[in-house]
Amino acid sequence: MALSKDHMLNIYRDMVLIRRFEEIIEKYSKNGTIPGFIHLSIGQEAAQAGVIDVLRETDYKFPDHRGHGAIVLASRPEDRKLIMAEIFGKKTGINGGRGGSMHINDLKVRNMGFNGIQGSTVVTSLGTAFASVYNQTDDVTVVFMGDGTLGEGTCHESMNMAATWKLPLIYVLINNQYAISTPYTESHPQKQLSDWGKGYNVPSMTVDGNDIEAVIEVTQSAVDRAKRGEGPTLIELMTYRWQGHFSGDPAAYRPEGELEKWKEKCPIKLAKEKLLNHFGVHESEITEIHNWVEKEINSYLEFSLASPNPSPQDSIKYVYTDVEVEGRS
Amino acid sequence: MTRKISFSKAINEALHQEMERDEKVFIIGEDVAKMGGDFGITAGIWSKWPKRAFDTALSESAIIGLSCGAALCGLRPVAELMFADFIAVCYDQIVNNAAKLSYMYEGKASAQIVVRAVTGGGIRCAYHHSQCIEPWLMNIPGLVVLAPSTPYEAKGLLISAIRNNNPVIFLEHKGLYNKKGEVPEDLYELPLYKANIVREGSDITIVAAMSMVDFAQKAAEELSGQGIQCEIINPLTLFPLDKETIINSVAKTGRLVIIQEGPKFMGYAAEIGSMVYEEIFEYLKAPMKRITSLDTPVPFAPVMEDYVMPQYEDVLKACNQLMSF
Ligand SMILES: Cc1ncc(C[n+]2csc(CCOP(=O)(O)OP(=O)(O)O)c2C)c(N)n1
Ligand SMILES: [Mg+2]
């Protein structure tokens, strides 16, 4: 699929934005300012930006644990600093600091958030897809999952049910080669994990997940199919995470030279080459984008650092919708 | 208008009437649609609303997961788990998904689902179809666990559960399905988080739920003949528990007996006991007593199952011991 020049520039900006977003939080995770652990998707930008690009605000999105990119791009521009503040555990965070990196959700754009238990959203997403059918709306549901997560039993239950009931559900399987230290070739018998969908009569395909145009094209056709009422699609996007499983993991399990090989296929680099060589974009336009992103990210960071911590007493809120649980006296 | 109907009919009626009232309500589970459920509880729903009753594959995680997702879109799923024991295969969905959604979405959305689960022993089904799984759920803030003991309670509590925005586990003790009782024809709600004082008395507080309430009533009747007056408290909502009603009762009687089907160790009887010790130790005239099942799986052979279940004789004995402490 050929994108227009403007579209390509926009999506390039999106990818640079999420790359820089993660580079910044990586820095503040490593220096101890961000509590807990974070999973970075540096190197996987096209897989997230391309999918989100196709979706509307009203489509249901279930990001995975490595989902900052999809989450940021699915949100409204004015909310992006709140997402960073959430990762910093601040009161101004989009969820008041109660969720952090792994549970960022924003219902107004139907970012349904991640569940820390791998494979869980793969069945929750059945429900939003089901509700679209029940309520006769044309909103589709996209659930992101990793190659390792495909081992969870819920994936079988979900795909079996979605295919039988022809639910408007799109499984985006981000194959970044590893589940923590285990290569997918050592945990699954299939050559390509998209083969897995065939047993359920689900159209399944493997696509270069670093090729932004290819990601957009395959997502668009899956969305169209879902809207025609023909049911789910499984999209396997081949990519690679540059960092360890979590920020701080030295990833010693990777063979030498593998990372360098994949860096050659950096999705942002590939998109930039296309812009320069096929779209006749000038270097100065690229520089302008990078400058804009820098300003943008710095404003998120300043906001996050300057924000106060949550009130500890807020921990007892929202356990139930109607009754309060006891706090400390 | 009230009339006498069975516990199972009361649940069936509540489902029909709520489906009629609110088109956001639907039922989902294994064999709940065309067949009307393994125990017949959902009979007649599919024929009335074929597009709101869903038979699924054997996929309990998908049933609960789908229900959660649909609830986030404003629907009100009522899922059936053919046996509460099967909660083990979708435990994650209940504990880590349903129970956490209100917290995660800061109350903007929640798992407004009802999971009907058929619980308890007594029908000679052995250890995978007879367990009382309440304690598995009562350490999970965010869940509501309901345990009716009469047809009247079953109908009113199920209606409240469907309308409530929290994830509710609605326990149906299979030993109660044929129990009959007066039930209003109209829709009515019973309050959640509120225990019922089944019988008033001044000497001993007996806490009992589900089929154990009948046990307690029989014992109270017999003890009354000996001049011992028992007050029976049925929590109805096991979790979050109405502590106040129990505390007030024990403060009055000074004696506490808890009858609980299911293993003794870490059962809810233990929690109720410690709660009373912690809050009103000075009011106690005797140590509390727990009458529970044995700490074993539930065996099959009738003489074996009867042996591990709570013993009626033990209730009488415990009460007498407390009075002469
Ligand atoms: C049920 C469950 N098991 C294990 C984990 C721990 N865990 C978190 S991410 C992960 C690996 C996931 O690999 P993959 O699905 O390929 O995603 P990736 O991290 O590569 O993006 C594991 C084992 C978990 N969170 N939940
Ligand atoms: Mg992976």
mmCIF file of all heavy atoms in Angstrom, chain A residues 60 95 98 105 112 115 117 120 123-124 127 130-131 134 157 165 315 317-318 320-322, chain B residues 23 26 52 59 61-62 65-66 73 93 96-97 102-106 142-143 164 166 193:
data_model
loop_
_atom_site.group_PDB
_atom_site.id
_atom_site.type_symbol
_atom_site.label_atom_id
_atom_site.label_comp_id
_atom_site.label_asym_id
_atom_site.label_seq_id
_atom_site.Cartn_x
_atom_site.Cartn_y
_atom_site.Cartn_z
ATOM 1 N N TYR A 60 -11.942 -0.542 20.282
ATOM 2 C CA TYR A 60 -11.391 -0.984 21.566
ATOM 3 C C TYR A 60 -9.958 -1.463 21.388
ATOM 4 O O TYR A 60 -9.686 -2.250 20.484
ATOM 5 C CB TYR A 60 -12.242 -2.105 22.156
ATOM 6 C CG TYR A 60 -13.644 -1.658 22.488
ATOM 7 C CD1 TYR A 60 -14.688 -1.854 21.592
ATOM 8 C CD2 TYR A 60 -13.911 -1.008 23.686
ATOM 9 C CE1 TYR A 60 -15.974 -1.424 21.880
ATOM 10 C CE2 TYR A 60 -15.195 -0.571 23.995
ATOM 11 C CZ TYR A 60 -16.219 -0.784 23.084
ATOM 12 O OH TYR A 60 -17.484 -0.359 23.379
ATOM 13 N N ASN A 95 -4.049 7.644 35.496
ATOM 14 C CA ASN A 95 -4.848 6.835 36.414
ATOM 15 C C ASN A 95 -4.495 7.136 37.863
ATOM 16 O O ASN A 95 -4.596 6.272 38.752
ATOM 17 C CB ASN A 95 -4.685 5.350 36.101
ATOM 18 C CG ASN A 95 -5.006 5.031 34.645
ATOM 19 O OD1 ASN A 95 -4.143 4.603 33.894
ATOM 20 N ND2 ASN A 95 -6.229 5.300 34.215
ATOM 21 N N ARG A 98 -2.157 4.836 40.338
ATOM 22 C CA ARG A 98 -2.457 3.545 40.944
ATOM 23 C C ARG A 98 -2.080 2.370 40.052
ATOM 24 O O ARG A 98 -2.062 1.229 40.505
ATOM 25 C CB ARG A 98 -3.931 3.448 41.323
ATOM 26 C CG ARG A 98 -4.869 3.503 40.118
ATOM 27 C CD ARG A 98 -6.314 3.348 40.558
ATOM 28 N NE ARG A 98 -6.566 4.185 41.720
ATOM 29 C CZ ARG A 98 -7.344 3.830 42.734
ATOM 30 N NH1 ARG A 98 -7.977 2.677 42.704
ATOM 31 N NH2 ARG A 98 -7.522 4.634 43.738
ATOM 32 N N ASN A 105 -4.651 3.028 31.387
ATOM 33 C CA ASN A 105 -5.888 2.898 30.614
ATOM 34 C C ASN A 105 -6.532 4.255 30.472
ATOM 35 O O ASN A 105 -6.301 5.154 31.273
ATOM 36 C CB ASN A 105 -6.844 1.903 31.275
ATOM 37 C CG ASN A 105 -7.301 2.376 32.633
ATOM 38 O OD1 ASN A 105 -8.234 3.163 32.766
ATOM 39 N ND2 ASN A 105 -6.603 1.924 33.683
ATOM 40 N N MET A 112 -8.208 0.107 26.814
ATOM 41 C CA MET A 112 -8.771 -0.657 27.921
ATOM 42 C C MET A 112 -7.719 -1.093 28.931
ATOM 43 O O MET A 112 -8.049 -1.702 29.945
ATOM 44 C CB MET A 112 -9.518 -1.889 27.390
ATOM 45 C CG MET A 112 -10.509 -1.587 26.274
ATOM 46 S SD MET A 112 -11.725 -0.298 26.688
ATOM 47 C CE MET A 112 -12.785 -1.170 27.830
ATOM 48 N N ASN A 115 -3.615 -6.145 31.509
ATOM 49 C CA ASN A 115 -3.751 -6.917 32.734
ATOM 50 C C ASN A 115 -2.413 -7.609 32.932
ATOM 51 O O ASN A 115 -1.916 -8.251 32.015
ATOM 52 C CB ASN A 115 -4.891 -7.924 32.526
ATOM 53 C CG ASN A 115 -5.088 -8.836 33.713
ATOM 54 O OD1 ASN A 115 -4.141 -9.395 34.240
ATOM 55 N ND2 ASN A 115 -6.320 -8.990 34.128
ATOM 56 N N ILE A 117 -1.434 -10.151 34.037
ATOM 57 C CA ILE A 117 -1.389 -11.601 33.829
ATOM 58 C C ILE A 117 -1.446 -11.848 32.323
ATOM 59 O O ILE A 117 -2.462 -11.575 31.677
ATOM 60 C CB ILE A 117 -2.585 -12.292 34.521
ATOM 61 C CG1 ILE A 117 -2.746 -11.802 35.964
ATOM 62 C CG2 ILE A 117 -2.426 -13.807 34.447
ATOM 63 C CD1 ILE A 117 -1.572 -12.030 36.869
ATOM 64 N N SER A 120 -4.589 -12.608 29.680
ATOM 65 C CA SER A 120 -5.885 -12.251 30.246
ATOM 66 C C SER A 120 -6.693 -11.361 29.296
ATOM 67 O O SER A 120 -7.876 -11.612 29.036
ATOM 68 C CB SER A 120 -5.691 -11.558 31.589
ATOM 69 O OG SER A 120 -6.931 -11.275 32.182
ATOM 70 N N VAL A 123 -8.814 -12.832 26.493
ATOM 71 C CA VAL A 123 -10.226 -13.192 26.677
ATOM 72 C C VAL A 123 -11.111 -11.988 27.015
ATOM 73 O O VAL A 123 -12.278 -11.966 26.635
ATOM 74 C CB VAL A 123 -10.465 -14.344 27.687
ATOM 75 C CG1 VAL A 123 -10.138 -15.680 27.059
ATOM 76 C CG2 VAL A 123 -9.695 -14.146 28.981
ATOM 77 N N THR A 124 -10.589 -10.984 27.691
ATOM 78 C CA THR A 124 -11.416 -9.801 27.964
ATOM 79 C C THR A 124 -11.833 -9.144 26.651
ATOM 80 O O THR A 124 -12.963 -8.657 26.509
ATOM 81 C CB THR A 124 -10.648 -8.764 28.806
ATOM 82 O OG1 THR A 124 -9.989 -9.433 29.871
ATOM 83 C CG2 THR A 124 -11.586 -7.721 29.371
ATOM 84 N N GLY A 127 -15.010 -9.843 24.979
ATOM 85 C CA GLY A 127 -16.222 -9.203 25.493
ATOM 86 C C GLY A 127 -16.538 -7.884 24.821
ATOM 87 O O GLY A 127 -17.701 -7.584 24.553
ATOM 88 N N PHE A 130 -17.693 -8.816 21.423
ATOM 89 C CA PHE A 130 -19.041 -9.355 21.586
ATOM 90 C C PHE A 130 -20.055 -8.212 21.747
ATOM 91 O O PHE A 130 -21.123 -8.209 21.144
ATOM 92 C CB PHE A 130 -19.051 -10.264 22.817
ATOM 93 C CG PHE A 130 -20.407 -10.715 23.281
ATOM 94 C CD1 PHE A 130 -20.951 -11.907 22.831
ATOM 95 C CD2 PHE A 130 -21.133 -9.951 24.199
ATOM 96 C CE1 PHE A 130 -22.206 -12.328 23.276
ATOM 97 C CE2 PHE A 130 -22.381 -10.360 24.635
ATOM 98 C CZ PHE A 130 -22.915 -11.555 24.177
ATOM 99 N N ALA A 131 -19.684 -7.208 22.558
ATOM 100 C CA ALA A 131 -20.605 -6.096 22.812
ATOM 101 C C ALA A 131 -20.865 -5.301 21.534
ATOM 102 O O ALA A 131 -21.972 -4.777 21.339
ATOM 103 C CB ALA A 131 -20.060 -5.189 23.908
ATOM 104 N N TYR A 134 -23.497 -7.279 19.914
ATOM 105 C CA TYR A 134 -24.726 -7.213 20.715
ATOM 106 C C TYR A 134 -25.406 -5.853 20.562
ATOM 107 O O TYR A 134 -26.612 -5.754 20.419
ATOM 108 C CB TYR A 134 -24.373 -7.464 22.183
ATOM 109 C CG TYR A 134 -25.532 -7.757 23.108
ATOM 110 C CD1 TYR A 134 -25.899 -9.066 23.401
ATOM 111 C CD2 TYR A 134 -26.235 -6.725 23.730
ATOM 112 C CE1 TYR A 134 -26.941 -9.342 24.275
ATOM 113 C CE2 TYR A 134 -27.283 -6.987 24.605
ATOM 114 C CZ TYR A 134 -27.634 -8.305 24.870
ATOM 115 O OH TYR A 134 -28.663 -8.573 25.734
ATOM 116 N N GLU A 157 -8.865 -20.551 23.993
ATOM 117 C CA GLU A 157 -10.290 -20.323 24.269
ATOM 118 C C GLU A 157 -10.799 -19.116 23.491
ATOM 119 O O GLU A 157 -11.903 -19.115 22.949
ATOM 120 C CB GLU A 157 -10.528 -20.122 25.775
ATOM 121 C CG GLU A 157 -10.247 -21.364 26.591
ATOM 122 C CD GLU A 157 -10.709 -21.261 28.042
ATOM 123 O OE1 GLU A 157 -11.581 -20.433 28.351
ATOM 124 O OE2 GLU A 157 -10.187 -22.038 28.876
ATOM 125 N N TRP A 165 -17.979 -17.473 16.666
ATOM 126 C CA TRP A 165 -19.014 -16.432 16.707
ATOM 127 C C TRP A 165 -18.715 -15.268 15.771
ATOM 128 O O TRP A 165 -19.430 -14.269 15.792
ATOM 129 C CB TRP A 165 -19.181 -15.920 18.151
ATOM 130 C CG TRP A 165 -19.789 -16.936 19.073
ATOM 131 C CD1 TRP A 165 -20.279 -18.177 18.752
ATOM 132 C CD2 TRP A 165 -19.967 -16.814 20.499
ATOM 133 N NE1 TRP A 165 -20.741 -18.822 19.878
ATOM 134 C CE2 TRP A 165 -20.571 -18.007 20.967
ATOM 135 C CE3 TRP A 165 -19.677 -15.811 21.426
ATOM 136 C CZ2 TRP A 165 -20.889 -18.231 22.314
ATOM 137 C CZ3 TRP A 165 -19.994 -16.030 22.764
ATOM 138 C CH2 TRP A 165 -20.590 -17.218 23.192
ATOM 139 N N SER A 315 -5.504 5.082 48.057
ATOM 140 C CA SER A 315 -5.365 3.642 47.799
ATOM 141 C C SER A 315 -6.652 2.876 48.065
ATOM 142 O O SER A 315 -6.869 1.813 47.495
ATOM 143 C CB SER A 315 -4.274 3.045 48.690
ATOM 144 O OG SER A 315 -3.106 3.795 48.584
ATOM 145 N N LYS A 317 -9.671 3.835 47.511
ATOM 146 C CA LYS A 317 -10.788 4.208 46.634
ATOM 147 C C LYS A 317 -11.014 3.189 45.528
ATOM 148 O O LYS A 317 -10.056 2.621 45.003
ATOM 149 C CB LYS A 317 -10.488 5.549 45.975
ATOM 150 C CG LYS A 317 -10.739 6.740 46.842
ATOM 151 C CD LYS A 317 -10.727 7.988 45.946
ATOM 152 C CE LYS A 317 -10.808 9.262 46.763
ATOM 153 N NZ LYS A 317 -10.321 10.387 45.971
ATOM 154 N N TYR A 318 -12.271 3.042 45.148
ATOM 155 C CA TYR A 318 -12.673 2.274 43.957
ATOM 156 C C TYR A 318 -12.497 0.770 44.073
ATOM 157 O O TYR A 318 -12.497 0.072 43.062
ATOM 158 C CB TYR A 318 -11.929 2.761 42.701
ATOM 159 C CG TYR A 318 -11.931 4.258 42.514
ATOM 160 C CD1 TYR A 318 -10.742 4.971 42.454
ATOM 161 C CD2 TYR A 318 -13.136 4.955 42.403
ATOM 162 C CE1 TYR A 318 -10.734 6.345 42.288
ATOM 163 C CE2 TYR A 318 -13.145 6.334 42.242
ATOM 164 C CZ TYR A 318 -11.934 7.025 42.185
ATOM 165 O OH TYR A 318 -11.923 8.380 42.017
ATOM 166 N N TYR A 320 -14.656 -1.133 45.542
ATOM 167 C CA TYR A 320 -16.027 -1.448 45.144
ATOM 168 C C TYR A 320 -16.650 -0.201 44.548
ATOM 169 O O TYR A 320 -16.178 0.907 44.804
ATOM 170 C CB TYR A 320 -16.849 -1.932 46.350
ATOM 171 C CG TYR A 320 -16.371 -3.263 46.875
ATOM 172 C CD1 TYR A 320 -15.446 -3.330 47.908
ATOM 173 C CD2 TYR A 320 -16.822 -4.459 46.315
ATOM 174 C CE1 TYR A 320 -14.979 -4.560 48.372
ATOM 175 C CE2 TYR A 320 -16.367 -5.687 46.773
ATOM 176 C CZ TYR A 320 -15.454 -5.727 47.795
ATOM 177 O OH TYR A 320 -14.993 -6.936 48.235
ATOM 178 N N THR A 321 -17.704 -0.385 43.806
ATOM 179 C CA THR A 321 -18.343 0.773 43.200
ATOM 180 C C THR A 321 -19.291 1.460 44.178
ATOM 181 O O THR A 321 -19.720 2.578 43.940
ATOM 182 C CB THR A 321 -19.140 0.382 41.946
ATOM 183 O OG1 THR A 321 -20.149 -0.571 42.316
ATOM 184 C CG2 THR A 321 -18.240 -0.229 40.891
ATOM 185 N N ASP A 322 -19.641 0.768 45.267
ATOM 186 C CA ASP A 322 -20.664 1.331 46.144
ATOM 187 C C ASP A 322 -20.262 1.379 47.616
ATOM 188 O O ASP A 322 -20.708 2.257 48.338
ATOM 189 C CB ASP A 322 -21.986 0.556 45.985
ATOM 190 C CG ASP A 322 -21.779 -0.949 45.977
ATOM 191 O OD1 ASP A 322 -20.637 -1.396 46.174
ATOM 192 O OD2 ASP A 322 -22.758 -1.676 45.775
ATOM 193 N N GLU B 23 -32.602 -4.907 28.731
ATOM 194 C CA GLU B 23 -32.076 -5.678 27.586
ATOM 195 C C GLU B 23 -30.556 -5.768 27.573
ATOM 196 O O GLU B 23 -29.978 -6.445 26.727
ATOM 197 C CB GLU B 23 -32.590 -5.103 26.267
ATOM 198 C CG GLU B 23 -32.152 -3.678 26.020
ATOM 199 C CD GLU B 23 -32.643 -3.161 24.665
ATOM 200 O OE1 GLU B 23 -33.708 -3.634 24.200
ATOM 201 O OE2 GLU B 23 -31.958 -2.296 24.090
ATOM 202 N N PHE B 26 -27.731 -10.434 29.697
ATOM 203 C CA PHE B 26 -27.736 -11.654 28.896
ATOM 204 C C PHE B 26 -27.123 -12.789 29.705
ATOM 205 O O PHE B 26 -26.466 -12.540 30.714
ATOM 206 C CB PHE B 26 -27.004 -11.454 27.561
ATOM 207 C CG PHE B 26 -25.510 -11.258 27.669
ATOM 208 C CD1 PHE B 26 -24.633 -12.340 27.627
ATOM 209 C CD2 PHE B 26 -24.975 -9.978 27.797
ATOM 210 C CE1 PHE B 26 -23.259 -12.153 27.708
ATOM 211 C CE2 PHE B 26 -23.584 -9.790 27.876
ATOM 212 C CZ PHE B 26 -22.735 -10.883 27.842
ATOM 213 N N ARG B 52 -30.040 -13.506 23.311
ATOM 214 C CA ARG B 52 -29.469 -13.054 24.587
ATOM 215 C C ARG B 52 -29.111 -14.219 25.502
ATOM 216 O O ARG B 52 -28.987 -14.052 26.716
ATOM 217 C CB ARG B 52 -30.442 -12.095 25.269
ATOM 218 C CG ARG B 52 -30.585 -10.777 24.479
ATOM 219 C CD ARG B 52 -31.749 -9.953 24.966
ATOM 220 N NE ARG B 52 -31.614 -9.597 26.363
ATOM 221 C CZ ARG B 52 -32.616 -9.157 27.116
ATOM 222 N NH1 ARG B 52 -33.828 -9.024 26.589
ATOM 223 N NH2 ARG B 52 -32.421 -8.852 28.381
ATOM 224 N N SER B 59 -15.045 -23.435 28.106
ATOM 225 C CA SER B 59 -14.033 -22.368 28.113
ATOM 226 C C SER B 59 -14.351 -21.378 29.223
ATOM 227 O O SER B 59 -14.800 -20.267 28.984
ATOM 228 C CB SER B 59 -14.047 -21.629 26.763
ATOM 229 O OG SER B 59 -13.763 -22.491 25.694
ATOM 230 N N SER B 61 -12.502 -19.623 31.212
ATOM 231 C CA SER B 61 -11.767 -18.351 31.197
ATOM 232 C C SER B 61 -12.372 -17.408 30.171
ATOM 233 O O SER B 61 -12.485 -16.201 30.401
ATOM 234 C CB SER B 61 -10.295 -18.570 30.856
ATOM 235 O OG SER B 61 -9.688 -19.312 31.866
ATOM 236 N N ALA B 62 -12.749 -17.962 29.023
ATOM 237 C CA ALA B 62 -13.361 -17.128 27.987
ATOM 238 C C ALA B 62 -14.734 -16.633 28.446
ATOM 239 O O ALA B 62 -15.111 -15.494 28.166
ATOM 240 C CB ALA B 62 -13.472 -17.904 26.679
ATOM 241 N N GLY B 65 -13.895 -13.908 31.009
ATOM 242 C CA GLY B 65 -13.192 -12.814 30.329
ATOM 243 C C GLY B 65 -14.135 -12.052 29.417
ATOM 244 O O GLY B 65 -14.177 -10.817 29.429
ATOM 245 N N LEU B 66 -14.912 -12.777 28.637
ATOM 246 C CA LEU B 66 -15.883 -12.123 27.751
ATOM 247 C C LEU B 66 -16.874 -11.313 28.587
ATOM 248 O O LEU B 66 -17.212 -10.172 28.242
ATOM 249 C CB LEU B 66 -16.616 -13.169 26.905
ATOM 250 C CG LEU B 66 -17.601 -12.638 25.865
ATOM 251 C CD1 LEU B 66 -17.689 -13.598 24.667
ATOM 252 C CD2 LEU B 66 -19.002 -12.398 26.414
ATOM 253 N N CYS B 73 -18.500 -2.506 28.378
ATOM 254 C CA CYS B 73 -19.273 -1.815 27.335
ATOM 255 C C CYS B 73 -20.698 -1.557 27.793
ATOM 256 O O CYS B 73 -21.568 -1.241 26.970
ATOM 257 C CB CYS B 73 -19.279 -2.647 26.059
ATOM 258 S SG CYS B 73 -17.649 -2.974 25.408
ATOM 259 N N GLN B 93 -9.292 -15.107 35.899
ATOM 260 C CA GLN B 93 -10.231 -14.126 35.348
ATOM 261 C C GLN B 93 -11.065 -13.478 36.451
ATOM 262 O O GLN B 93 -11.414 -12.307 36.371
ATOM 263 C CB GLN B 93 -11.141 -14.789 34.308
ATOM 264 C CG GLN B 93 -10.457 -14.993 32.973
ATOM 265 C CD GLN B 93 -9.908 -13.689 32.430
ATOM 266 O OE1 GLN B 93 -10.616 -12.709 32.285
ATOM 267 N NE2 GLN B 93 -8.613 -13.659 32.155
ATOM 268 N N ASN B 96 -7.953 -11.758 39.094
ATOM 269 C CA ASN B 96 -7.042 -10.748 38.549
ATOM 270 C C ASN B 96 -7.683 -9.873 37.487
ATOM 271 O O ASN B 96 -7.093 -8.900 37.048
ATOM 272 C CB ASN B 96 -5.796 -11.416 37.965
ATOM 273 C CG ASN B 96 -4.861 -11.899 39.042
ATOM 274 O OD1 ASN B 96 -4.628 -11.207 40.020
ATOM 275 N ND2 ASN B 96 -4.355 -13.096 38.885
ATOM 276 N N ASN B 97 -8.860 -10.265 37.054
ATOM 277 C CA ASN B 97 -9.516 -9.425 36.062
ATOM 278 C C ASN B 97 -10.760 -8.791 36.690
ATOM 279 O O ASN B 97 -10.736 -7.621 37.065
ATOM 280 C CB ASN B 97 -9.854 -10.261 34.819
ATOM 281 C CG ASN B 97 -10.060 -9.409 33.576
ATOM 282 O OD1 ASN B 97 -9.827 -8.203 33.578
ATOM 283 N ND2 ASN B 97 -10.514 -10.021 32.511
ATOM 284 N N SER B 102 -12.754 -2.236 38.622
ATOM 285 C CA SER B 102 -13.194 -0.954 39.181
ATOM 286 C C SER B 102 -11.981 -0.161 39.675
ATOM 287 O O SER B 102 -11.852 1.038 39.430
ATOM 288 C CB SER B 102 -14.168 -1.186 40.335
ATOM 289 O OG SER B 102 -14.355 0.014 41.051
ATOM 290 N N TYR B 103 -11.085 -0.868 40.343
ATOM 291 C CA TYR B 103 -9.872 -0.230 40.876
ATOM 292 C C TYR B 103 -9.032 0.319 39.736
ATOM 293 O O TYR B 103 -8.565 1.449 39.764
ATOM 294 C CB TYR B 103 -9.083 -1.268 41.676
ATOM 295 C CG TYR B 103 -8.130 -0.678 42.686
ATOM 296 C CD1 TYR B 103 -8.622 -0.057 43.833
ATOM 297 C CD2 TYR B 103 -6.767 -0.753 42.508
ATOM 298 C CE1 TYR B 103 -7.758 0.472 44.780
ATOM 299 C CE2 TYR B 103 -5.890 -0.225 43.443
ATOM 300 C CZ TYR B 103 -6.392 0.387 44.583
ATOM 301 O OH TYR B 103 -5.532 0.916 45.521
ATOM 302 N N MET B 104 -8.877 -0.504 38.711
ATOM 303 C CA MET B 104 -8.040 -0.118 37.580
ATOM 304 C C MET B 104 -8.605 1.095 36.842
ATOM 305 O O MET B 104 -7.867 1.995 36.465
ATOM 306 C CB MET B 104 -7.958 -1.314 36.633
ATOM 307 C CG MET B 104 -7.351 -1.046 35.283
ATOM 308 S SD MET B 104 -6.950 -2.634 34.505
ATOM 309 C CE MET B 104 -6.549 -2.096 32.860
ATOM 310 N N TYR B 105 -9.924 1.099 36.656
ATOM 311 C CA TYR B 105 -10.542 2.198 35.903
ATOM 312 C C TYR B 105 -11.029 3.314 36.829
ATOM 313 O O TYR B 105 -11.832 4.156 36.423
ATOM 314 C CB TYR B 105 -11.710 1.680 35.061
ATOM 315 C CG TYR B 105 -11.298 0.678 33.991
ATOM 316 C CD1 TYR B 105 -11.844 -0.591 33.958
ATOM 317 C CD2 TYR B 105 -10.370 1.025 33.012
ATOM 318 C CE1 TYR B 105 -11.467 -1.511 32.983
ATOM 319 C CE2 TYR B 105 -9.996 0.114 32.041
ATOM 320 C CZ TYR B 105 -10.548 -1.146 32.022
ATOM 321 O OH TYR B 105 -10.178 -2.038 31.065
ATOM 322 N N GLU B 106 -10.587 3.300 38.059
ATOM 323 C CA GLU B 106 -10.955 4.336 39.049
ATOM 324 C C GLU B 106 -12.457 4.550 39.098
ATOM 325 O O GLU B 106 -12.943 5.685 39.104
ATOM 326 C CB GLU B 106 -10.253 5.656 38.712
ATOM 327 C CG GLU B 106 -8.749 5.545 38.705
ATOM 328 C CD GLU B 106 -8.126 6.668 37.909
ATOM 329 O OE1 GLU B 106 -7.852 7.690 38.513
ATOM 330 O OE2 GLU B 106 -7.964 6.517 36.678
ATOM 331 N N GLY B 142 -12.729 -6.447 46.175
ATOM 332 C CA GLY B 142 -13.287 -6.145 44.854
ATOM 333 C C GLY B 142 -14.376 -7.131 44.479
ATOM 334 O O GLY B 142 -15.254 -6.806 43.691
ATOM 335 N N LEU B 143 -14.318 -8.331 45.053
ATOM 336 C CA LEU B 143 -15.370 -9.315 44.773
ATOM 337 C C LEU B 143 -16.479 -9.196 45.810
ATOM 338 O O LEU B 143 -16.241 -8.835 46.955
ATOM 339 C CB LEU B 143 -14.824 -10.743 44.848
ATOM 340 C CG LEU B 143 -13.875 -11.220 43.758
ATOM 341 C CD1 LEU B 143 -13.528 -12.690 43.997
ATOM 342 C CD2 LEU B 143 -14.489 -11.025 42.372
ATOM 343 N N ASN B 164 -26.254 -4.544 40.520
ATOM 344 C CA ASN B 164 -25.072 -3.994 41.182
ATOM 345 C C ASN B 164 -23.913 -3.904 40.199
ATOM 346 O O ASN B 164 -23.807 -4.704 39.280
ATOM 347 C CB ASN B 164 -24.696 -4.888 42.371
ATOM 348 C CG ASN B 164 -23.613 -4.274 43.217
ATOM 349 O OD1 ASN B 164 -22.428 -4.487 42.985
ATOM 350 N ND2 ASN B 164 -24.007 -3.480 44.199
ATOM 351 N N ASN B 166 -20.658 -4.192 40.897
ATOM 352 C CA ASN B 166 -19.466 -4.952 41.255
ATOM 353 C C ASN B 166 -19.544 -6.361 40.673
ATOM 354 O O ASN B 166 -20.623 -6.843 40.346
ATOM 355 C CB ASN B 166 -19.363 -5.070 42.786
ATOM 356 C CG ASN B 166 -19.150 -3.728 43.438
ATOM 357 O OD1 ASN B 166 -18.175 -3.048 43.157
ATOM 358 N ND2 ASN B 166 -20.084 -3.330 44.301
ATOM 359 N N TYR B 193 -24.562 -6.715 51.412
ATOM 360 C CA TYR B 193 -23.730 -6.341 52.570
ATOM 361 C C TYR B 193 -24.541 -6.261 53.864
ATOM 362 O O TYR B 193 -24.208 -5.517 54.770
ATOM 363 C CB TYR B 193 -23.024 -4.976 52.351
ATOM 364 C CG TYR B 193 -22.584 -4.717 50.930
ATOM 365 C CD1 TYR B 193 -23.142 -3.669 50.184
ATOM 366 C CD2 TYR B 193 -21.619 -5.511 50.333
ATOM 367 C CE1 TYR B 193 -22.737 -3.429 48.880
ATOM 368 C CE2 TYR B 193 -21.220 -5.278 49.022
ATOM 369 C CZ TYR B 193 -21.782 -4.234 48.306
ATOM 370 O OH TYR B 193 -21.388 -3.983 47.019
#
